[in-house]
Amino acid sequence: MTCGNISHAYVIFGATGNLATHKLLPALYQLHCQGQLAADVEILGCGRSPFTQATWQAEVRAKLVGLVEGDAHLDGFIQRLDYLAGSLTDPGFYQALHTWVGDNGCENNVIFYLSVSPDLYVGVTDGLANVGLLQETSGWRRMVIEKPFGYDLPSAQALQRSLEQHLKEEQIYRIDHYVGKASVQNLLVLRFANVILEPLWNRHYIDHVQITHSETVGVDGRASYYDRSGGAMRDMIQSHLLQVLALLAMEPPVSQTAEALRDEKVKVLKSIRPVDVSQLATHAVRAQYAGYQQEEGVTAGSHTETYAALQLYVDNWRWQGVPFYLRTGKGLAEKRSMVSVCFKPAPVSLFQGQGASALPNWLMIGIQPEDAVRMEITAKVPGLEMRTRQITMDASVSSPGERKAEAYEELLLDVIKGDRALFLRYDEVTAAWQVVDPVMQAWSLDEHPPLQYPLGSWGPKAAERVFGDSLRVWRHSLACNNCLAGKA
């Protein structure tokens, strides 16, 4: 399969940074090993470090050794690499880049990947435009930008105004690597390839939905950036978790085309009920892990949250009245991403007092580390007595020995193919900001410090208040024996 075998040049700004060296270059190497890159594809790294082509190739080789068993393809990949040193604020750098593209543009098809700080997006775009590198006179030019797409709704709108001075919307690829995970994409398959779920996938049968992303590490040396960028709500909920919500709640698209898929996601995001400031105490929780204030780079007295939980409603016919609970946090008990769908109880219980009959059915979808789908149902306990218990129907999504592609592999290949289905459209970005902006604005005006929680816990006990119902608790695991856990 060589559907990505299109002649082009891949230009990576910030090529010596963490994202490029740990994600982008390894992903491109994997595509090379799988025969997904045309023979003449060139990869240009751009950065301030004074590498030559030879020293850059040696640097990348050292990082990639051992990534693929045998490394039989490593020499061929290294030969694709070139390097251009310079400052992104220097007009001469863009002139030199223009010359390089003219010599190595691979039929004038060029991808510019901005693996740099978001505050440089506009400057780099202007620099490229000033030397004519964004004009599609022959071939195509595409730009990939990483989240965050703005700091809030006004800044996202300002960024778009700047980009659209030089780029058409179809040239912009707003990448959210979380959506590129195979387990996240599997949500679409579960929804629309299995007729057994569709009759139940609505307000008549679903009690509530939980979406969790937890990390065991703290800010892990990124305290200064994290504190500046605005915390858990901006970092995870505005992008990743709202994307998962949209995939779970969307209507069937008319086709698998990019615009059809994104149309349905936008409809969901626009249907989310705004959180009123008067409801903030019961619909949103923010907290910091103990010790965050002492992290190097954190502003004294910072209110930046490392934990956020949110209750949302999708006001449409399918989901009216069904709460969606989103939470994310750092320094928590386990590293885990999962979706927990709780179904309503049977209208009449025939086995009251005989075991697990009062427990609801759950559909559990593991995103990481488990890539699995589990259904919790009630069954009879073996023996003469009529006793029931909760059991789990477990299906692992991947088979032993199957290689799981990293999210960036598929996303980088999609850019080559021009497939924008897994990338965010501008109206999708603004709709997501409109969901979280009122909460963040209210928090910014709140003089009370965030709640505290100990490292290694499941966050503040007060996070349970978003349920507004003592019978609902957070699911921490795919394991059935944690069905009624909820301990902080």
Side-chain angles (χ1 to χ4, degrees):
M1 180 178 176
T2 56
C3 53
N5 228 328
I6 301 170
S7 296
H8 68 283
Y10 233 115
V11 179
I12 302 175
F13 293 91
T16 61
N18 185 72
L19 174 63
T21 55
H22 288 80
K23 296 294 184 181
L24 304 184
L25 289 167
L28 288 168
Y29 178 38
Q30 292 287 0
L31 293 178
H32 167 83
C33 294
Q34 297 164 39
Q36 293 285 359
L37 298 182
D40 58 351
V41 167
E42 299 274 350
I43 301 170
L44 176 68
C46 299
R48 290 175 296 181
S49 300
F51 288 113
T52 63
Q53 181 182 31
T55 56
W56 173 240
Q57 289 178 341
E59 181 82 5
V60 175
R61 179 186 292 274
K63 294 182 182 299
L64 295 181
V65 167
L67 189 65
V68 176
E69 187 174 353
D71 296 317
H73 302 279
L74 186 54
D75 288 343
F77 179 75
I78 294 299
Q79 291 305 309
R80 296 181 183 274
L81 303 179
D82 202 351
Y83 188 83
L84 181 62
S87 169
L88 297 182
T89 60
D90 178 12
F93 166 78
Y94 296 97
Q95 289 291 348
L97 179 57
H98 184 277
T99 300
W100 186 93
V101 168
D103 295 336
N104 304 275
C106 297
E107 299 185 6
N108 214 26
N109 299 326
V110 187
I111 297 168
F112 299 105
Y113 199 115
L114 273 58
S115 178
V116 295
S117 174
D119 58 6
L120 297 175
Y121 290 168
V122 172
V124 173
T125 304
D126 289 344
L128 292 171
N130 289 340
V131 295
L133 279 173
L134 297 180
Q135 295 178 3
E136 295 183 313
T137 52
S138 62
W140 43 255
R141 302 296 168 91
R142 296 167 183 162
M143 179 176 288
V144 186
I145 59 176
E146 287 269 349
K147 78 169 191 72
F149 313 112
Y151 184 76
D152 51 17
L153 180 59
S155 61
Q157 293 169 329
L159 173 61
Q160 177 66 14
R161 286 193 295 270
S162 297
L163 294 179
E164 65 187 8
Q165 290 180 20
H166 308 299
L167 293 160
K168 295 174 289 188
E169 175 65 21
E170 55 266 30
Q171 290 180 271
I172 305 172
Y173 289 72
R174 300 176 188 85
I175 193 167
D176 184 342
H177 73 276
Y178 201 81
V179 182
K181 293 179 182 292
S183 45
V184 173
Q185 294 178 49
N186 191 44
L187 296 176
L188 284 174
V189 179
L190 286 174
R191 285 286 319 279
F192 304 124
N194 299 288
V195 70
I196 60 173
L197 289 179
E198 179 57 28
L200 306 178
W201 210 253
N202 56 61
R203 60 188 173 88
H204 299 296
Y205 297 99
I206 291 179
D207 180 75
H208 72 276
V209 179
Q210 299 180 22
I211 303 172
T212 292
H213 177 84
S214 61
E215 302 176 37
T216 55
V217 297
V219 288
D220 197 25
R222 298 171 60 246
S224 179
Y225 169 78
Y226 188 84
D227 202 55
R228 241 182 15 256
S229 65
M233 183 69 78
R234 285 188 174 92
D235 186 43
M236 284 301 303
I237 291 182
Q238 185 274 337
S239 53
H240 302 334
L241 300 196
L242 283 179
Q243 281 292 306
V244 173
L245 186 155
L247 292 172
L248 288 168
M250 64 187 280
E251 296 298 322
V254 296
S255 69
Q256 292 190 52
T257 62
E259 296 314 308
L261 177 64
R262 296 192 295 182
D263 283 346
E264 297 304 330
K265 288 199 294 178
V266 170
K267 289 178 185 177
V268 172
L269 294 173
K270 288 184 175 181
S271 298
I272 294 177
R273 185 189 308 169
V275 178
D276 192 88
V277 175
S278 64
Q279 300 174 312
L280 206 60
T282 56
H283 284 58
V285 171
R286 64 170 173 166
Q288 286 180 354
Y289 63 76
Y292 175 76
Q293 296 282 343
Q294 285 71 53
E295 297 276 8
E296 184 178 353
V298 173
T299 305
S302 170
H303 284 192
T304 299
E305 75 281 356
T306 60
Y307 178 101
L310 195 58
Q311 176 192 128
L312 296 174
Y313 288 89
V314 179
D315 285 339
N316 60 22
W317 277 40
R318 182 185 290 266
W319 297 110
Q320 186 66 35
V322 177
F324 287 76
Y325 301 106
L326 284 59
R327 65 166 172 168
T328 184
K330 292 184 177 294
L332 298 182
E334 294 181 24
K335 180 179 180 179
R336 185 172 303 281
S337 293
M338 57 187 271
V339 172
S340 312
V341 181
C342 181
F343 291 90
K344 292 182 177 180
V348 177
S349 177
L350 299 179
F351 307 101
Q352 192 67 34
Q354 294 177 316
S357 59
L359 296 178
N361 299 137
W362 289 83
L363 176 66
M364 310 294 298
I365 304 169
I367 297 174
Q368 65 179 33
E370 297 105 329
D371 189 0
V373 179
R374 295 177 183 171
M375 174 69 79
E376 292 177 6
I377 62 174
T378 301
K380 182 183 179 299
V381 177
L384 298 176
E385 296 182 353
M386 177 56 75
R387 302 286 296 171
T388 63
R389 66 183 176 192
Q390 203 87 339
I391 65 170
T392 302
M393 301 171 64
D394 190 348
S396 177
V397 174
S398 56
S399 301
E402 283 185 330
R403 178 183 176 271
K404 291 176 62 177
E406 292 292 326
Y408 277 102
E409 293 176 38
E410 179 162 0
L411 293 171
L412 294 180
L413 184 59
D414 283 349
V415 179
I416 299 171
K417 295 186 294 183
D419 184 350
R420 302 170 68 230
L422 299 179
F423 297 85
L424 276 62
R425 203 167 63 192
Y426 173 58
D427 56 350
E428 196 173 346
V429 172
T430 56
W433 278 121
Q434 286 169 341
V435 174
V436 301
D437 257 12
V439 178
M440 296 190 304
Q441 290 171 8
W443 280 352
S444 69
L445 299 173
D446 186 356
E447 296 181 355
H448 297 90
L451 301 171
Q452 296 285 301
Y453 63 95
L455 283 166
S457 71
W458 277 108
K461 186 70 175 177
E464 293 182 2
R465 74 187 183 209
V466 299
F467 291 112
D469 184 339
S470 60
L471 297 179
R472 292 175 181 160
V473 293
W474 288 110
R475 289 292 303 253
H476 301 323
S477 168
L478 300 183
C480 189
N481 59 5
N482 281 347
C483 292
L484 296 181
K487 300 177 182 178

